[in-house]
Amino acid sequence: TSLFKADRPASNIIDMQTEAVLAGSYSTALLASENLDRLVTPVEIRSGISVSADESGTIMRIRFSGQDAKTAQKVADGVATSYLGVRAESAKQQAAETTQKIDDRLAVLQPTLESSLKTINSTDPGSTERANAEADAALVRAEIDSLVNERASLFNLSSDAGELVTPASSSPV
């Protein structure tokens, strides 16, 4: 099942516990540290960060404890923004991998369709061989159509991995 099916609600696609781990990961902390001009180190971020996720939805809370209140707010917002960047990059990578798998499958199906069409054009109407080739061609066309539609839907994906709903900087300390 593709993560990118449009008919799946976000709460059925996203494992919030995994996302919380990603938000508190070293890669997210490293990016946050870089984005904050090394205001704090990735190790300091990881030791002061607290991430909680709503299991039945798609909301995550990121808190940072340490130093002064303004710095803590900057770090929490920096981690949230960096998590969204890491998440967006991961989604782009998954979309690219899915596109490649689709392209690989299409490359296999095309010669199969061509062979079926050649058989259809070179056999007598009503023959068993022609009927089998027509059935094969119909099945291959249906799979190609499905793959082409799935591939096209990948281009309509938003690169936005989410949004920072309530920045720590706008929350009371």
Side-chain angles (χ1 to χ4, degrees):
T1 305
S2 173
L3 287 177
F4 302 107
K5 297 278 185 187
D7 61 345
R8 294 178 64 190
S11 60
N12 287 348
I13 297 171
I14 299 170
D15 177 351
M16 289 306 292
Q17 295 309 308
T18 301
E19 296 303 313
V21 170
L22 178 60
S25 71
Y26 184 82
S27 59
T28 300
L30 179 62
L31 182 59
S33 178
E34 291 168 0
N35 290 342
L36 293 166
D37 297 323
R38 306 275 184 207
L39 177 65
V40 288
T41 68
V43 172
E44 290 171 322
I45 290 173
R46 294 203 64 220
S47 67
I49 201 77
S50 167
V51 181
S52 60
D54 176 7
E55 297 220 12
S56 62
T58 57
I59 302 294
M60 188 179 312
R61 286 173 183 74
I62 298 174
R63 294 178 178 90
F64 181 78
S65 300
Q67 303 184 11
D68 63 276
K70 287 292 182 194
T71 300
Q73 288 174 323
K74 280 183 184 178
V75 173
D77 287 345
V79 169
T81 302
S82 296
Y83 158 74
L84 292 173
V86 168
R87 188 69 186 95
E89 193 56 41
S90 175
K92 286 180 196 173
Q93 180 64 33
Q94 287 178 338
E97 290 170 6
T98 300
T99 299
Q100 186 59 54
K101 287 178 184 174
I102 290 169
D103 290 348
D104 292 347
R105 182 66 182 146
L106 288 170
V108 169
L109 290 172
Q110 190 62 38
T112 304
L113 179 59
E114 289 171 4
S115 175
S116 294
L117 294 175
K118 185 177 178 182
T119 301
I120 291 167
N121 291 329
S122 66
T123 55
D124 294 327
S127 71
T128 302
E129 188 177 7
R130 185 173 184 154
N132 288 339
E134 287 171 343
D136 289 346
L139 288 171
V140 171
R141 280 188 183 120
E143 186 175 353
I144 288 172
D145 287 347
S146 175
L147 290 168
V148 167
N149 288 334
E150 184 177 352
R151 191 179 195 289
S153 72
L154 294 173
F155 289 106
N156 295 326
L157 289 176
S158 170
S159 61
D160 182 12
E163 65 181 290
L164 185 54
V165 177
T166 306
S169 57
S170 67
S171 299
V173 179

